[in-house]
Amino acid sequence: MNKLTIALLSLMFATSMQGQGQKPVYLDESKPVEQRIDDALSRMTLDEKIAVIHAQSKFSSPGVKRLGFPDLWTDDGPHGVRPDVLWDEWEQAGQTNDSCVAFPALTCLAATWNPDLARLYGESLGEEALYRNKNVMLGPGVNIYRTPLGGRNFEYMGEDPLLASRMVVPYVQGLQSKGVAACVKHYALNNDEENRHQVNVVVSDRALHEIYLPAFKAAVQEGGAWSIMGAYNLYKDQHNCHNEIMLNKILKRDWGFDGVVISDWGGCHNTDEAIRNGLDLEFGSWTDGLTMGKTNAYNLYYMADAYKKAIREGRYTTKELDDKVRRVLRLFYRTTMRRDKPVGFLCSESHYDAALKIAQEGIVLLKNDALLPIDITKTSKILVVGENAIKMMTVGGGSSSLKVQREILPLDGIRSHLPSNVLLDYARGYVGDTIQSYDGVTVGRSLYEARSQAELTAEAVGKAREADVVIFIGGLNKSSHQDCESHDRKSYDLPYAQNEVIEAILKVNPRLVYVNISGNGAALPWLAKVPAVVQAWFIGSQAGEAIASVLFGDVNPSGKLPFTWYASLDQCGAHATGSYPGTWRDDKKIIDEEYREGLFVGYRWTDRLKKQKPLFPFGFGLSYTTFKIGKAVADKRSMTVDDKITFTVAVTNTGSRAGAETVQLYIHDKKSSVERPYKELKAFRKVFLQPGETQEISLTIDKQALSFYDDQTGRWTAEPGDFEALIGNSAQNLISSCSFTLR
């Protein structure tokens, strides 16, 4: 923007202010941003300062019109930009220009193990947000997959802190490169949804810092996140939206976070704690005024009139307020006041291409006994079974629900890939739910069903007898107590009689491909009988095209699981220790949930089980080609705490088609003064290879990869001693190792 344009805009703004009877104030835009913030802060009245730290509508907070700061607009959407709602209600606003591209859920993004795609994801989402004039996107989520019953796991990046850290940083950088703030959530320990406002997490300092905080820390210190959303749950009996340790000590002092802490909607509970304990911007508080529809209800927020009154009565100075306002003004300059903001695009071809590529790379081939890819030249009839083949998965699930411009359903995607001489048939198989809309967004084709389960099973079995291949598309959905905000799953089993239908089909046709759509694992009791299993996640607008392209071999799957897929819940530390879902206190107001498994989350726990193997290990995923990982070689045999060590390994595509392999490096501490997991992921690299091609890849680590959090000193410690680097392509297939010493 040139000086003439700025001058004209300033004149227009001054004219509009004079027309409203206000005297305009000019801020010197030639000064550095921090000086401009100080200047603006010095000019603001108490009323203006209080106004900018709380909402004025469901998703916006006011700027400072007198000083030229426009309103700040937030929106839900780690996976796409949520449709607009009414000013004071959760109802859809009924607009026609607020549809979007739905990108795959973050479990799918994590399953790509490809940080370049995380950057593409953030950039694409940022462009959609820009077009819709959204300044803060409420995401991404990086809470840890602690239990597969967690209702919101599909919004997060798996069980491992290193994987989540490496994927969240480029996402944040990509989004913010468009002038749209990431609001990384839900900070922290928001690992289950049931009774989420009342769960008080009891966790060791080591587990907190080694498992649950690293992805947030990376988002702040490496990604440069401009905002963080507090979590609903409590830690040490304080809600995480105003928690002294979480916000003031760890986030702001230890990590040097200079952005804005935003409450989750309704996550603020107390004026004094909000003032003192680090909350900067309050949204969604459930005041009596909002419930009863009182005018100016937003002034009843905990950080609104109550805060102003406390200052005027002398109970607080403006010290805390000025820090909050300074942070909000800094967010303004990074977003609403940014002069070189890029151009936004909505539903562009490039965004659909990005969504498709991420979906295709994230799909995980879990089992394949020579049935996939389906050879349509040798197939005359295909049967698709399952409600999830015709159900929109972009609708529902809570705050991540979207209004998409289009969503290709799995059945339609499969149909589009078949030539005219191949007959495609469909059977419902089971009924999950028949809800036709969610928050005013309809689900497309009708899901009404009057037939009984016995009739649905009989139809599927009858049609399966005549098919060359059966594709069963099942799993979970976005309904309550499935993969959905506000509630956790009630069972690890597949819902809606799916197991019964699958077993019945297998009796008449063993050529069955099971496609699981979910953000969580589930028990698969028939696994040994089914020749092919595909994990397809919730993958957005291009779902049907992505699934079909993998099933028919147009795309070679390369996804790897971002979590351990347990055979049963007793393989999961949170359940084996009896710590989930916690214990109600006598007053029935708070649940104490002690994380008794400590550091041993996911593969860290199953490594201790020895003889009990999960259905599929962390980092696992097959391909339509084969790979050979050679002997790893270290560039040195010992290192100091100020040094780095690099491991080089050759990877060869030994199959007949192009594909990608993800090489994973885990570190084993041979002897430690504290208890440590047997191994922990510390580096990875995805490599694309043509048939017969070999590439040497390098994986470098430093002392942080060898360190543990010393809860006695409150510092990270790397103890001298012997270590082992374990290299392979999953947590249970580590085929090369190198020993080295930290001096």
Side-chain angles (χ1 to χ4, degrees):
M1 184 177 292
N2 60 38
K3 293 182 178 179
L4 177 59
T5 304
I6 293 173
L8 289 172
L9 288 174
S10 299
L11 179 60
M12 292 169 60
F13 177 75
T15 303
S16 69
M17 291 295 100
Q18 288 169 346
Q20 298 172 37
Q22 299 182 40
K23 183 179 180 180
V25 175
Y26 298 98
L27 300 180
D28 187 349
E29 295 188 356
S30 66
K31 293 181 179 179
V33 166
E34 291 302 317
Q35 289 185 29
R36 293 160 67 188
I37 290 171
D38 289 340
D39 184 18
L41 187 63
S42 70
R43 298 170 186 262
M44 291 174 67
T45 66
L46 178 60
D47 285 344
E48 288 170 337
K49 290 178 179 180
I50 290 293
V52 300
I53 64 168
H54 67 82
Q56 65 175 359
S57 74
K58 286 296 185 188
F59 281 100
S60 74
S61 60
V64 188
K65 308 299 186 298
R66 185 176 63 86
L67 301 181
F69 292 97
D71 294 346
L72 184 79
W73 283 91
T74 71
D75 208 348
D76 278 317
H79 313 135
V81 187
R82 181 177 178 163
D84 288 328
V85 300
L86 298 174
W87 188 265
D88 278 317
E89 305 292 339
W90 288 111
E91 280 182 46
Q92 298 297 312
Q95 296 183 5
T96 57
N97 64 345
D98 60 349
S99 59
C100 69
V101 172
F103 299 94
L106 294 189
T107 42
C108 178
L109 176 62
T112 70
W113 288 61
N114 187 342
D116 290 340
L117 289 186
R119 173 82 190 203
L120 175 64
Y121 195 124
E123 290 175 349
S124 302
L125 181 62
E127 289 173 349
E128 298 248 327
L130 270 180
Y131 186 91
R132 294 269 308 281
N133 194 33
K134 306 304 180 186
N135 312 118
V136 180
M137 290 303 297
L138 305 176
V142 288
N143 292 104
I144 292 296
Y145 183 108
R146 178 176 173 252
T147 161
L149 300 188
R152 219 163 177 181
N153 282 341
F154 70 97
E155 289 189 42
Y156 302 145
M157 295 188 183
E159 72 182 34
D160 186 79
L162 186 278
L163 176 61
S165 296
R166 293 308 97 217
M167 298 301 288
V168 72
V169 168
Y171 180 115
V172 169
Q173 292 172 335
L175 179 62
Q176 294 186 167
S177 72
K178 304 300 179 180
V180 177
C183 185
V184 185
K185 63 185 190 182
H186 304 89
Y187 179 76
L189 301 166
N190 189 173
N191 307 114
D192 42 83
E193 286 293 294
E194 205 68 39
N195 302 304
R196 58 187 176 167
H197 296 276
Q198 294 134 309
V199 172
N200 178 59
V201 174
V202 181
V203 63
S204 71
D205 283 350
R206 281 195 65 201
L208 176 67
H209 285 272
E210 292 187 29
I211 303 296
Y212 298 101
L213 292 186
F216 289 103
K217 184 178 182 180
V220 168
Q221 294 191 330
E222 298 177 56
W226 294 339
S227 63
I228 291 282
M229 180 186 288
Y232 282 134
N233 53 283
L234 299 90
Y235 169 68
K236 292 188 181 294
D237 288 329
Q238 284 185 344
H239 282 279
N240 278 348
C241 284
H242 33 73
N243 188 293
E244 164 63 24
I245 295 174
M246 282 291 184
L247 301 181
N248 285 341
K249 181 186 183 301
I250 296 175
L251 180 64
K252 293 184 174 179
R253 290 201 294 270
D254 295 351
W255 296 352
F257 177 64
D258 69 354
V260 173
V261 174
I262 299 177
S263 72
D264 202 343
W265 270 232
C268 185
H269 299 269
N270 181 285
T271 295
D272 289 329
E273 286 191 7
I275 294 170
R276 295 193 306 264
N277 294 346
L279 180 62
D280 300 314
L281 186 51
E282 178 186 3
F283 273 94
S285 291
W286 298 327
T287 64
D288 288 341
L290 284 180
T291 305
M292 303 303 293
K294 183 177 179 180
T295 27
N296 276 336
Y298 297 98
N299 290 335
L300 300 180
Y301 273 27
Y302 295 101
M303 293 210 306
D305 284 350
Y307 193 178
K308 191 190 309 180
K309 181 181 179 183
I311 290 174
R312 285 176 171 163
E313 290 177 350
R315 289 187 284 123
Y316 291 96
T317 68
T318 60
K319 176 185 175 183
E320 295 89 353
L321 177 61
D322 286 349
D323 178 68
K324 299 176 193 297
V325 175
R326 181 173 281 106
R327 291 170 180 272
V328 172
L329 292 177
R330 188 176 294 125
L331 182 61
F332 286 169
Y333 277 111
R334 287 167 167 169
T335 58
T336 62
M337 297 291 284
R338 179 172 170 174
R339 299 306 186 193
D340 60 342
K341 194 175 296 185
V343 176
F345 300 94
L346 186 67
C347 299
S348 71
E349 293 85 349
S350 64
H351 296 166
Y352 282 110
D353 290 345
L356 178 60
K357 183 171 178 57
I358 295 163
Q360 290 170 331
E361 272 200 41
I363 290 175
V364 184
L365 179 61
L366 293 175
K367 183 178 180 182
N368 187 24
D369 293 342
L371 183 53
L372 293 176
I374 297 169
D375 187 347
I376 57 178
T377 66
K378 299 178 181 178
T379 304
S380 60
K381 186 174 184 179
I382 294 175
L383 173 66
V384 175
V385 179
E387 179 181 279
N388 281 1
I390 62 167
K391 185 175 180 63
M392 289 181 70
M393 293 298 181
T394 59
V395 180
S399 63
S400 64
S401 184
L402 300 170
K403 183 171 80 175
V404 294
Q405 185 186 53
R406 67 172 184 263
E407 178 179 352
I408 302 174
L409 300 176
L411 181 62
D412 298 329
I414 291 169
R415 180 179 289 112
S416 70
H417 276 250
L418 296 179
S420 58
N421 63 314
V422 177
L423 180 63
L424 178 66
D425 203 358
Y426 173 73
R428 177 79 172 253
Y430 68 91
V431 177
D433 69 53
T434 57
I435 295 171
Q436 299 301 301
S437 66
Y438 183 89
D439 276 355
V441 179
T442 57
V443 299
R445 68 189 66 186
S446 174
L447 295 175
Y448 174 75
E449 181 60 68
R451 291 172 294 174
S452 68
Q453 183 57 57
E455 291 173 305
L456 293 171
T457 302
E459 178 195 39
V461 170
K463 290 184 175 183
R465 282 193 178 95
E466 309 300 322
D468 296 316
V469 177
V470 178
I471 303 172
F472 190 102
I473 301 180
L476 308 180
N477 59 32
K478 297 283 193 69
S479 300
S480 188
H481 295 290
Q482 296 294 312
D483 278 328
C484 185
E485 184 180 359
S486 298
H487 294 287
D488 288 343
R489 296 165 65 191
K490 294 182 176 180
S491 169
Y492 191 51
D493 294 325
L494 288 174
Y496 315 128
Q498 290 179 75
N499 289 335
E500 169 194 319
V501 179
I502 291 170
E503 293 279 11
I505 291 173
L506 288 170
K507 291 177 181 178
V508 300
N509 191 336
R511 290 176 56 80
L512 187 147
V513 180
Y514 175 68
V515 179
N516 190 73
I517 296 178
S518 75
N520 272 305
L524 307 177
W526 33 259
L527 180 62
K529 306 175 192 176
V530 172
V533 178
V534 174
Q535 174 62 18
W537 315 107
F538 300 113
I539 48 179
S541 288
Q542 299 282 57
E545 173 61 25
I547 291 169
S549 67
V550 168
L551 294 178
F552 297 113
D554 299 329
V555 168
N556 190 353
S558 63
K560 301 283 187 179
L561 286 177
F563 55 72
T564 303
W565 195 303
Y566 307 108
S568 59
L569 283 182
D570 58 9
Q571 291 185 337
C572 172
H575 296 271
T577 59
S579 58
Y580 172 87
T583 305
W584 285 99
R585 294 180 184 175
D586 291 340
D587 61 8
K588 303 300 182 184
K589 293 180 179 179
I590 298 293
I591 300 174
D592 287 310
E593 186 171 353
E594 182 181 359
Y595 286 17
R596 297 190 194 108
E597 73 279 10
L599 303 170
F600 299 93
V601 176
Y603 67 87
R604 291 165 170 82
W605 180 268
T606 55
D607 277 351
R608 306 172 82 187
L609 300 181
K610 306 298 183 185
K611 296 181 180 179
Q612 296 183 46
K613 301 298 183 184
L615 282 187
F616 306 105
F618 172 79
F620 176 79
L622 301 173
S623 171
Y624 293 151
T625 189
T626 54
F627 299 94
K628 179 183 177 182
I629 298 176
K631 173 65 177 174
V633 178
D635 67 345
K636 55 177 70 75
R637 296 295 300 272
S638 65
M639 60 180 286
T640 67
V641 292
D642 299 319
D643 203 358
K644 295 181 180 180
I645 185 168
T646 297
F647 304 91
T648 303
V649 61
V651 185
T652 303
N653 183 342
T654 56
S656 59
R657 60 181 296 168
E661 179 63 293
T662 299
V663 181
Q664 303 160 37
L665 183 150
Y666 298 78
I667 293 295
H668 166 58
D669 188 348
K670 292 184 177 182
K671 186 178 181 180
S672 175
S673 64
V674 297
E675 184 180 30
R676 304 191 72 173
Y678 179 79
K679 65 176 183 288
E680 297 182 281
L681 181 72
K682 295 301 177 182
F684 62 88
R685 171 88 178 275
K686 190 169 192 175
V687 58
F688 294 82
L689 300 170
Q690 296 298 318
E693 182 183 2
T694 298
Q695 282 190 32
E696 282 196 346
I697 66 166
S698 296
L699 299 167
T700 301
I701 61 170
D702 58 17
K703 71 172 183 178
Q704 186 59 40
L706 312 179
S707 301
F708 61 86
Y709 185 81
D710 187 338
D711 51 10
Q712 300 302 310
T713 64
R715 294 195 301 266
W716 287 89
T717 299
E719 289 182 336
D722 295 329
F723 294 83
E724 189 174 22
L726 307 170
I727 296 174
N729 60 3
S730 83
Q732 285 186 359
N733 190 39
L734 301 173
I735 58 182
S736 184
S737 64
C738 290
S739 294
F740 64 98
T741 301
L742 176 67
R743 301 193 308 272

